[in-house]
Amino acid sequence: MSLGKVSLVSLALVSCMYATNGFVVTYQGAKASAMADAFIAQADDPSANYYNAAGLTSLSGTQISAGMITAFQTPWKFDGSSVGGISGNYSEEARTQVLVAPHIYFSQQLDNNWYFGMGINASYPLSVQWAPSDALSNIIQENNMLPLTINPNIAYKFQDIGLSIGAGVSYTYAFTSAEFLNPAYTRVEMDGGGFGYNLGFKWEATDFLTLAATYRSKVTLDLSG
């Protein structure tokens, strides 16, 4: 098996996170990130595994791309008149952190009609840490979630009409941990995962017009520990 192309994507910097449940990394690959959702209709590099599995039919030979997203998490701030049932005026900020979400994508042309792809990415990293001197650290000092998603895909192209369809399954594994200081130091760990699926089509209607759509199901994580 010959290696047709290897490309390393540049870093994309994400400056914000959603303060409730972490954030979703929807940027996979430098080129696709720059094109936003328009890449769903082009999908002509290995990150098609994530954006639109039908786009795998645009890739010849064997191709690999890899990169990472770096997220700068600005401090989360808490203002309140009570912490853990203790009255008082409190104003605390969580620690500033840098989170890294790597990804790697692989594609292989099987014959003139069939194509295979594989993607591995960390789509939902989350970490919150409060300084030991903060009042909130008496309730919870640290909370982390480290996920990893594996997503194989298969695609088929109807060469005579320029229509491609693709589908795949995904499994997301997640490890979570939390540290508490009240009433004594306690560490809680859980892990587990869940399955999902994705569908896509891409139709090269003319030399100047391509229509495409993609769907990715939700994934429910079953954690224990």
Side-chain angles (χ1 to χ4, degrees):
M1 179 173 63
S2 62
L3 186 63
K5 177 183 178 183
V6 176
S7 62
L8 293 178
V9 304
S10 64
L11 299 181
L13 303 181
V14 182
S15 61
C16 65
M17 296 181 64
Y18 298 117
T20 53
N21 296 311
F23 76 113
V24 179
V25 178
T26 57
Y27 306 100
Q28 303 290 316
K31 176 182 178 180
S33 299
M35 296 180 65
D37 290 341
F39 190 75
I40 293 172
Q42 183 165 335
D44 59 354
D45 70 29
S47 65
N49 276 282
Y50 179 84
Y51 289 95
N52 185 354
L56 291 170
T57 62
S58 298
L59 307 176
S60 60
T62 302
Q63 299 191 32
I64 297 175
S65 67
M68 65 181 182
I69 302 297
T70 303
F72 295 92
Q73 178 181 295
T74 57
W76 301 2
K77 189 172 183 180
F78 170 84
D79 290 300
S81 57
S82 176
V83 171
I86 302 176
S87 299
N89 294 321
Y90 298 93
S91 180
E92 311 287 359
E93 284 190 351
R95 295 180 178 181
T96 300
Q97 296 190 81
V98 177
L99 303 180
V100 175
H103 56 258
I104 183 168
Y105 294 104
F106 164 86
S107 68
Q108 174 66 54
Q109 181 181 7
L110 303 178
D111 57 30
N112 289 334
N113 300 100
W114 289 97
Y115 298 77
F116 173 78
M118 173 71 76
I120 303 176
N121 64 76
S123 295
Y124 311 94
L126 168 65
S127 180
V128 182
Q129 297 180 4
W130 302 93
S133 58
D134 290 349
L136 286 171
S137 68
N138 291 325
I139 303 174
I140 183 168
Q141 185 176 9
E142 182 177 324
N143 193 352
N144 301 290
M145 181 171 73
L146 303 173
L148 183 69
T149 298
I150 301 175
N151 180 204
N153 289 283
I154 195 76
Y156 183 87
K157 185 171 185 178
F158 300 90
Q159 298 286 352
D160 53 339
I161 59 175
L163 174 65
S164 300
I165 57 175
V169 295
S170 64
Y171 180 78
T172 297
Y173 168 82
F175 171 81
T176 67
S177 65
E179 295 184 3
F180 305 86
L181 295 182
N182 187 16
Y185 174 80
T186 304
R187 180 176 175 85
V188 178
E189 295 182 355
M190 296 190 297
D191 69 343
F195 287 93
Y197 65 92
N198 57 281
L199 305 170
F201 89 90
K202 179 181 176 184
W203 180 38
E204 298 166 355
T206 71
D207 292 339
F208 307 101
L209 176 64
T210 299
L211 303 177
T214 186
Y215 173 80
R216 185 173 294 275
S217 74
K218 71 176 183 179
V219 176
T220 300
L221 300 180
D222 184 10
L223 304 177
S224 63

